[in-house]
């Protein structure tokens, strides 16, 4: 047993997962714990790579990354993981935080997506027997990117049906992406390499999802702050529209029974700040979704890297030709 490889990969992935999950909460590299775990993860990764490349019987045969199809397929799997898990992270957060959906309503938004995938996986499996997997990959990328672009223009005025319809595109994309990438990445590997190849392919997809969620979480926080500051440049006490809006809110609070001009004005300021924060969150979620759309589109640039040998078609018999 390759105990060095086993220990190093466990330490590398374990510490990396903690860094990705807790980094945003602890301020990333402002935290001594995150810095320590990141260093340990990097060192363990270096040990893992060196060990697996130098011993005769490694725990995981990473040499198969020399195969261009497998390397491109694994990178595509990482991008799929980032877009898939990133969107599954964003949509419930958007629906629950901004639209006020309950857990049941969020589940109903996502349920049709899974049902569409369930129905299309057998179809994609049958199609893959005769259709070029690169065409299937392109179709899946287009559907996934269209879903991410749709998420990138969501507003608080969008209905339950509109939100659910956008997610259906993602559900339709997954069977084509998973089937084609798995076929492109693993088909040409030697039989003794397929077990390691399958493990590494799934690992890169899972790591892509974890890294994608960490990046998306950080992006939402930073972009929310950015948009709030940009809104604050226009919404000032010197702007006529701001004074008019505050006057209207103050009058509404007074009419609602709030006593005292200062109390009503204070609540009006708080209400306006809440609206700005809400809109900044909407813009941040849209930015994150557009970032996922870009990650999806990047998969199109992987397609020329795959070298697919088409099976020769059977010769036509005279009777069939006739």
């Amino acid at each position: 047993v390759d105990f060095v490889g086993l220990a190093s990969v466990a330490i590398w992935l374990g510490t990396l997962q903690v860094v990705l999950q807790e980094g945003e909460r602890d301020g990333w590299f402002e935290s001594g714990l995150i810095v320590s775990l990141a260093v340990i993860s990097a060192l363990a990764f270096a040990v893992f790579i060196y060990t697996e490349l130098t011993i005769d019987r490694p725990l995981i045969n990473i040499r198969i990354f020399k195969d261009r199809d497998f390397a491109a397929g694994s990178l595509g799997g990482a991008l799929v993981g980032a877009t898939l898990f990133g969107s599954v992270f964003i949509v419930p957060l958007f629906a629950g935080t901004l639209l006020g959906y309950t857990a049941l309503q969020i589940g109903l938004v996502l349920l049709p997506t899974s049902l569409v995938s369930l129905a299309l996986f057998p179809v994609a499996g049958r199609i893959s027997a005769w259709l070029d997997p690169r065409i299937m990959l392109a179709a899946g990328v287009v559907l996934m990117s269209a879903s991410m672009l749709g998420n990138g223009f969501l507003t608080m005025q969008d209905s339950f049906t509109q939100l659910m319809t956008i997610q259906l595109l993602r559900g339709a994309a997954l069977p084509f992406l998973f089937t084609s990438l798995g076929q492109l990445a693993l088909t040409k590997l030697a039989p003794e390499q397929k077990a390691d190849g399958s493990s590494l392919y799934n690992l890169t997809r899972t790591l892509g999802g974890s890294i994608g969620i960490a990046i998306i979480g950080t992006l939402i926080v930073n972009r929310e702050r950015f948009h709030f500051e940009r809104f604050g440049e226009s919404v000032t006490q010197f702007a006529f529209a701001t004074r008019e809006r505050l006057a209207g809110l103050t009058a509404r609070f007074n009419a609602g029974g709030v006593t005292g001009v200062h109390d009503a004005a204070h609540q009006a300021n708080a209400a306006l700040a809440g609206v700005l924060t809400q809109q900044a969150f909407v813009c941040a979620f849209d930015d994150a979704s557009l970032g996922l759309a870009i990650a999806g589109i990047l998969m199109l640039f992987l397609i020329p890297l795959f070298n697919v040998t088409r099976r020769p078609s059977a010769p036509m018999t005279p009777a069939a030709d006739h």
Side-chain angles (χ1 to χ4, degrees):
V1 177
D2 175 16
F3 289 107
V4 176
L6 178 61
S8 59
V9 73
I11 295 172
W12 162 46
L13 293 178
T15 52
L16 177 63
Q17 193 71 16
V18 175
V19 168
L20 293 176
Q21 290 183 351
E22 305 297 330
E24 174 59 36
R25 188 189 324 182
D26 294 342
W28 290 108
F29 295 110
E30 296 176 3
S31 167
L33 175 63
I34 296 299
V35 170
S36 300
L37 291 178
V39 171
I40 293 172
S41 180
L43 292 175
F45 176 70
V47 172
F48 170 73
I49 295 296
Y50 176 78
T51 302
E52 303 309 284
L53 290 177
T54 54
I55 66 175
D56 294 331
R57 301 187 62 181
L59 176 73
I60 302 175
N61 183 18
I62 60 175
R63 296 182 181 92
I64 59 179
F65 277 110
K66 294 179 181 179
D67 184 281
R68 190 178 70 179
D69 289 340
F70 177 76
S74 296
L75 179 57
L79 292 173
V80 168
T83 53
L84 171 60
F85 292 112
S87 62
V88 172
F89 169 69
I90 283 179
V91 173
L93 197 60
F94 180 88
T97 303
L98 295 174
L99 301 182
Y101 284 11
T102 64
L104 177 60
Q105 289 173 317
I106 294 173
L108 292 176
V109 168
L110 299 177
L111 177 61
T113 303
S114 302
L115 295 179
V116 169
S117 296
L118 182 65
L120 289 181
F121 262 111
V123 176
R126 288 185 176 274
I127 291 176
S128 65
W130 55 269
L131 184 65
D132 190 329
R134 292 172 295 188
I135 297 177
M136 293 182 61
L137 177 58
V141 169
V142 170
L143 290 171
M144 176 68 81
S145 300
S147 176
M148 297 300 103
L149 285 174
N151 287 338
F153 293 94
L154 288 175
T155 67
M156 295 186 62
Q157 284 69 48
D158 288 313
S159 66
F160 178 94
T161 303
Q162 290 172 310
L163 184 60
M164 182 184 65
T165 302
I166 294 173
Q167 310 318 309
L168 291 178
L169 293 174
R170 174 166 55 84
L174 294 182
F176 295 99
L177 289 174
F178 284 136
T179 303
S180 59
L181 278 174
Q183 184 177 354
L184 289 168
L186 302 175
T187 299
K188 289 187 176 180
L189 294 179
E192 64 273 11
Q193 295 178 329
K194 288 189 182 294
D196 286 333
S198 179
S199 300
L200 285 172
Y201 174 72
N202 288 301
L203 174 63
T204 54
R205 187 174 62 193
T206 304
L207 282 178
S210 298
I211 295 172
I213 289 176
I215 293 174
I216 290 300
T218 302
L219 181 63
I220 288 176
V221 172
N222 292 335
R223 296 300 290 179
E224 186 274 333
R225 187 182 301 117
F226 168 81
H227 286 294
F228 188 86
E229 292 174 354
R230 296 290 80 77
F231 292 156
E233 293 175 357
S234 302
V235 183
T236 68
Q237 60 181 336
F238 305 106
F240 174 76
T242 303
R243 295 200 304 270
E244 189 177 42
R245 180 67 180 271
L246 287 174
L249 290 172
T250 302
R252 185 182 304 174
F253 284 122
N254 279 326
V258 177
T259 58
V261 176
H262 294 293
D263 290 337
H266 178 73
Q267 291 196 19
N269 284 324
L272 183 59
V275 171
L276 294 179
T277 301
Q278 200 173 57
Q279 292 303 315
F281 265 120
V282 172
C283 292
F285 283 123
D286 288 349
D287 290 347
S289 296
L290 292 176
L292 289 175
I294 293 173
I297 293 173
L298 288 177
M299 282 187 281
L300 290 175
F301 294 95
L302 296 177
I303 294 178
L305 299 178
F306 295 107
N307 181 23
V308 179
T309 303
R310 303 298 296 164
R311 289 188 296 267
S313 57
M316 296 289 288
T317 62
D321 183 68
H322 174 72

